[in-house]
């Protein structure tokens, strides 16, 4: 569900003078409309101004589904996703003033198919060498994107500060699924050298590290190899992302990890909404209490509008504290997204400010908390 882009900003006045790109695109409907936000012109301008002053980071994304580019062996799921569109996504990110995003490769992309419950599951196992080869393909797509100058480099906080100044979007390389590591710990140093700064250790495919939330568990937590992988990620400076990991895997990772971690894209379970991809209060607090962050995702699970999503973000802030919440859109591979266009990114800080959060707190959620987490990875 994409917000209406017709006409709304054309009627907005002087506040938009500094935002020619936004005005040009005549972006979203600020009053009523599909978002459900009911923001005034002044409130929208406040969110836009905040993004000009503070770095904002989408802690989990697949912009333009770049991970499908040059994919040799398509399956029904990857075919259904359609052709990649990185250039359009990057234009929208620039219009929306997204300072950086974690551009996630999908380690188990070639294995996935729709499950009976409407989510994703794995259809087969990897062929020998396939996981590593597919990692290299996807990292190659990202490296080319930065080399061409389509996205700015995003190796550290300095790069992201630079991107804000230059009004560009930095690509922080990431991988969803630790499958490509196999049992070869040295691949973690290679990934770091490739520019990878976050790895979601488990995705939909139960792997050598542990089990996802969405499958019946084989093991109660991290495997012995999984523990070694977490320790090696800590040493390398790569963030351990626990999105998709079972609670058992998460508990073990909290025991083993010497660095704060994140759950990059989830939301809290509620009495009226339960789903394997959501986390309990206990689960979220465990990661937060070890210095970690929880990214709120605008998926269609228990949310119908952007306003519903803003409520989920506020609920997380109430539950784990404003220092531990971030934004992880999962764009452009989100499940029934209620927010699907980076040009609408300013709606998030606008709505959070309108709900009574102060500028410093909104800046933390929009990017500051992730930058702190990134800085805490290496001694
Ligand atoms: Zn995911
Ligand atoms: Zn994802």
């Amino acid at each position: 569900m994409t917000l209406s882009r017709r006409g709304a900003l054309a009627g907005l006045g002087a506040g938009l003078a500094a935002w020619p790109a936004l005005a040009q695109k005549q972006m979203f409907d600020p009053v009523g409309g599909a978002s459900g936000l009911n923001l005034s012109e002044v409130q929208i301008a406040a969110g836009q101004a905040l993004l000009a002053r503070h770095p904002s980071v989408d802690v989990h994304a697949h912009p333009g589904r770049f991970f499908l580019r040059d994919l040799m062996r398509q399956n029904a799921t990857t075919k259904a996703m359609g052709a990649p569109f990185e250039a359009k996504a990057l234009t929208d990110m620039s219009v929306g003033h997204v300072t950086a995003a974690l551009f996630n490769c999908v380690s188990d992309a070639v294995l996935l198919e729709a499950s009976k419950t409407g989510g994703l599951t794995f259809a087969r196992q990897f062929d020998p060498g396939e996981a590593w080869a597919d990692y290299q393909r996807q990292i190659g797509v990202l490296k080319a994107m930065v080399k061409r100058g389509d996205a700015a480099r995003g190796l550290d906080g300095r790069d992201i500060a630079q991107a804000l100044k230059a009004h560009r979007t930095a690509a922080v390389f990431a991988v969803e699924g630790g499958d490509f590591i196999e049992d070869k710990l040295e691949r973690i140093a290679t990934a770091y050298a490739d520019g990878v700064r976050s790895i979601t250790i488990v995705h939909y495919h139960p792997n050598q590290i542990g089990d996802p939330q969405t499958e019946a568990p084989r093991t109660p937590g991290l495997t012995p190899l999984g523990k070694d992988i977490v320790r090696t990620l800590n040493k390398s400076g790569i963030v351990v992302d626990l999105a998709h990991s079972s609670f058992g895997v998460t508990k073990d990772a909290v025991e083993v990890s010497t660095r704060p971690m994140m759950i990059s894209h989830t939301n809290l379970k509620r009495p009226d909404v339960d789903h394997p991809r959501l986390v309990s209060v206990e689960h979220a607090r465990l990661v937060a209490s070890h210095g970690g962050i929880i990214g709120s995702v605008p998926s269609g699970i228990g949310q119908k509008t952007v306003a519903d999503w803003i409520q989920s973000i506020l609920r997380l802030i109430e539950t784990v504290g404003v220092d531990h919440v971030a934004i992880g859109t999962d764009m452009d591979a989100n499940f029934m997204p209620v927010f699907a266009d980076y040009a609408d990114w300013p709606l998030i800080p606008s709505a959070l400010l309108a709900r009574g959060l102060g500028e410093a707190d909104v800046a933390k959620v929009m990017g500051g908390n992730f930058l702190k987490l990134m800085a805490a990875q290496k001694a």
Side-chain angles (χ1 to χ4, degrees):
M1 203 191 312
T2 305
L3 302 179
S4 159
R5 297 170 132 213
R6 264 177 296 277
L9 284 200
L12 298 182
L16 288 170
W19 296 79
L22 279 177
Q24 218 173 22
K25 268 200 122 190
Q26 297 187 349
M27 220 176 56
F28 40 76
D29 177 2
V31 181
S35 77
L37 288 174
N38 297 311
L39 295 169
S40 71
E41 174 186 340
V42 172
Q43 286 171 324
I44 288 178
Q48 291 168 333
L50 185 143
L51 291 182
R53 286 194 288 270
H54 302 277
S56 57
V57 183
D58 185 346
V59 304
H60 186 82
H62 312 275
R65 295 184 203 130
F66 71 88
F67 62 95
L68 297 176
R69 186 156 300 282
D70 303 328
L71 178 63
M72 300 298 282
R73 191 171 159 188
Q74 295 273 0
N75 60 35
T77 310
T78 57
K79 258 190 226 152
M81 284 186 168
F85 50 97
E86 302 93 323
K88 186 197 173 295
L90 284 160
T91 301
D92 290 343
M93 292 171 106
S94 167
V95 170
H97 277 239
V98 182
T99 321
L102 274 72
F103 283 55
N104 273 264
C105 305
V106 182
S107 198
D108 55 354
V110 295
L111 309 184
L112 300 183
E113 68 171 15
S115 71
K116 285 186 193 88
T117 52
L120 286 172
T121 186
F122 60 104
R124 62 178 179 90
Q125 300 295 339
F126 285 108
D127 293 339
E130 189 182 21
W132 181 235
D134 206 45
Y135 161 82
Q136 288 170 307
R137 172 187 65 82
Q138 296 181 54
I139 281 293
V141 173
L142 287 178
K143 284 182 175 174
M145 198 185 280
V146 172
K147 196 170 174 199
R148 284 193 305 270
D150 298 349
R153 201 180 66 177
L155 295 180
D156 51 29
R158 254 201 325 249
D159 283 350
I160 294 170
Q162 180 56 34
L164 177 69
K165 234 160 103 187
H167 188 169
R168 299 197 66 207
T169 299
V172 178
F173 296 178
V175 188
E176 188 164 25
D179 309 70
F180 75 98
I181 300 166
E182 296 181 313
D183 60 351
K184 298 179 173 56
L185 296 175
E186 66 277 12
R187 284 184 184 166
I188 292 171
T190 306
Y192 187 87
D194 283 335
V196 172
R197 294 295 179 266
S198 168
I199 294 178
T200 312
I201 53 176
V202 177
H203 193 211
Y204 283 106
H205 174 237
N207 64 17
Q208 81 284 18
I209 300 170
D211 291 334
Q213 295 165 311
T214 42
E215 300 287 343
R218 304 161 304 171
T219 52
L222 281 170
T223 63
L225 175 60
K227 290 181 183 175
D228 281 342
I229 286 175
V230 168
R231 289 186 194 105
T232 311
L233 287 167
N234 285 164
K235 270 187 221 138
S236 75
I238 294 176
V239 173
V240 174
D241 181 0
L242 297 167
H244 293 274
S245 281
S246 69
F247 191 34
V249 166
T250 304
K251 283 192 273 197
D252 277 356
V254 165
E255 287 264 302
V256 169
S257 180
T258 57
R259 304 283 173 201
M261 299 176 286
M262 71 171 168
I263 305 178
S264 64
H265 54 301
T266 188
N267 282 310
L268 291 172
K269 287 182 204 271
R270 310 198 305 252
D272 56 324
V273 184
D274 196 5
H275 186 281
R277 282 287 292 112
L278 302 177
V279 297
S280 66
V281 167
E282 184 191 4
H283 188 150
R285 281 189 180 147
L286 180 66
V287 172
S289 67
H290 284 75
I293 63 173
I294 322 290
S296 181
V297 67
S299 72
I301 301 167
Q303 307 176 126
K304 288 199 177 75
T305 63
V306 183
D308 292 343
W309 179 36
I310 297 296
Q311 274 309 113
S312 299
I313 298 169
L314 292 171
R315 199 174 293 120
L316 265 175
I317 292 171
E318 265 168 39
T319 306
V320 298
V322 74
D323 292 324
H324 302 281
V325 178
I327 305 296
T329 66
D330 207 9
M331 209 118 70
D332 291 293
N334 195 335
F335 179 65
M336 300 184 344
V338 300
F339 180 90
D341 191 331
Y342 277 118
D344 295 330
W345 185 248
L347 283 180
I348 312 166
S350 299
L352 292 174
L353 289 168
R355 299 293 187 276
L357 256 68
E359 170 160 351
D361 284 346
V362 176
K364 285 179 184 177
V365 173
M366 291 308 298
N369 290 337
F370 176 78
L371 288 169
K372 218 167 117 192
L373 181 80
M374 202 182 189
Q377 296 306 311
K378 265 198 162 171

